[in-house]
Amino acid sequence: IPKDNGVVLEHVSYSYNKESQAIPEKNALEDVSLTIEPGQTVALVGASGGGKTTLANIVTRYFDPQKGCIRIGDIDIRDIPKEILMDKVSFVFQNSRLIKTSILENVRMARPGATREEITDALKAAQCMDIIEKLPDGIDTVVGTNGVYLSGGEQQRIAIARAILKNAPILILDE
């Protein structure tokens, strides 16, 4: 169990082409080292295809680096049970999608025991109330039914509310 929420990357490299002999190997990440102290906010800025999303995916262990290691609280993330790692990290994807249920239940997925008030507070913190106010049944509106669809940006804001409700100590926002 990690002793804190610091994130350290040491000489991390990753290539999507590693298994393919037909495509010349080009690393998406090449020898990346980075230390993020607990409570520190870090923004990675760069051109499209520069490795930002790949780095986020590696920190959350959606895949492992081919070289180097990532530690949270001085523990290699490969040694942290997935349940504990998922409690420590919230990840809001660039292309967040909601499931066909109410806004309330979409947010509640982060913390099944959350009250309606806690969910509403998370929606307010994520600046979603303008979305909620235009829906026929407010937070009880089921997404994807009766012509109720949200834009990609609106879906991402609901996903941010979910991450706020989860309240994990490490939050990764992909765009």
Side-chain angles (χ1 to χ4, degrees):
I1 296 176
K3 66 176 183 161
D4 63 38
N5 303 311
V7 178
V8 175
L9 287 83
E10 291 182 340
H11 306 288
V12 171
S13 295
Y14 184 83
S15 172
Y16 289 100
N17 306 341
K18 194 74 170 172
E19 305 303 318
S20 171
Q21 299 299 322
I23 303 171
E25 185 175 322
K26 181 179 182 308
N27 285 342
L29 298 174
E30 178 77 43
D31 196 32
V32 176
S33 294
L34 173 68
T35 299
I36 303 171
E37 299 295 335
Q40 186 177 13
T41 299
V42 174
L44 300 177
V45 180
S48 182
K52 302 176 297 293
T53 297
T54 300
L55 189 63
N57 281 313
I58 286 176
V59 171
T60 53
R61 260 205 101 197
Y62 289 116
F63 33 83
D64 291 325
Q66 281 117 359
K67 292 182 183 171
C69 78
I70 296 116
R71 294 191 323 268
I72 294 177
D74 276 341
I75 306 288
D76 189 315
I77 62 172
R78 292 172 287 207
D79 296 329
I80 301 171
K82 287 204 179 214
E83 306 79 42
I84 292 173
L85 183 61
M86 289 301 99
D87 284 344
K88 285 226 166 257
V89 179
S90 277
F91 188 5
V92 178
F93 294 93
Q94 179 178 356
N95 297 320
S96 296
R97 295 288 177 246
L98 303 179
I99 62 172
K100 190 175 178 178
T101 188
S102 69
I103 298 290
L104 178 105
E105 292 303 325
N106 266 286
V107 176
R108 184 178 272 151
M109 288 172 30
R111 207 172 80 222
T115 66
R116 187 177 186 89
E117 181 180 359
E118 291 169 324
I119 293 166
T120 301
D121 289 345
L123 287 162
K124 287 177 183 173
Q127 300 182 2
C128 295
M129 296 318 288
D130 61 321
I131 300 167
I132 303 305
E133 289 167 1
K134 73 179 184 181
L135 297 174
D137 296 317
I139 66 172
D140 297 309
T141 301
V142 175
V143 179
T145 59
N146 300 325
V148 177
Y149 296 96
L150 301 178
S151 71
E154 289 170 330
Q155 290 183 58
Q156 190 175 42
R157 285 166 58 194
I158 301 296
I160 290 169
R162 185 186 303 144
I164 289 169
L165 182 68
K166 182 177 177 184
N167 198 25
I170 300 169
L171 175 61
I172 299 174
L173 304 172
D174 188 15
E175 287 192 42

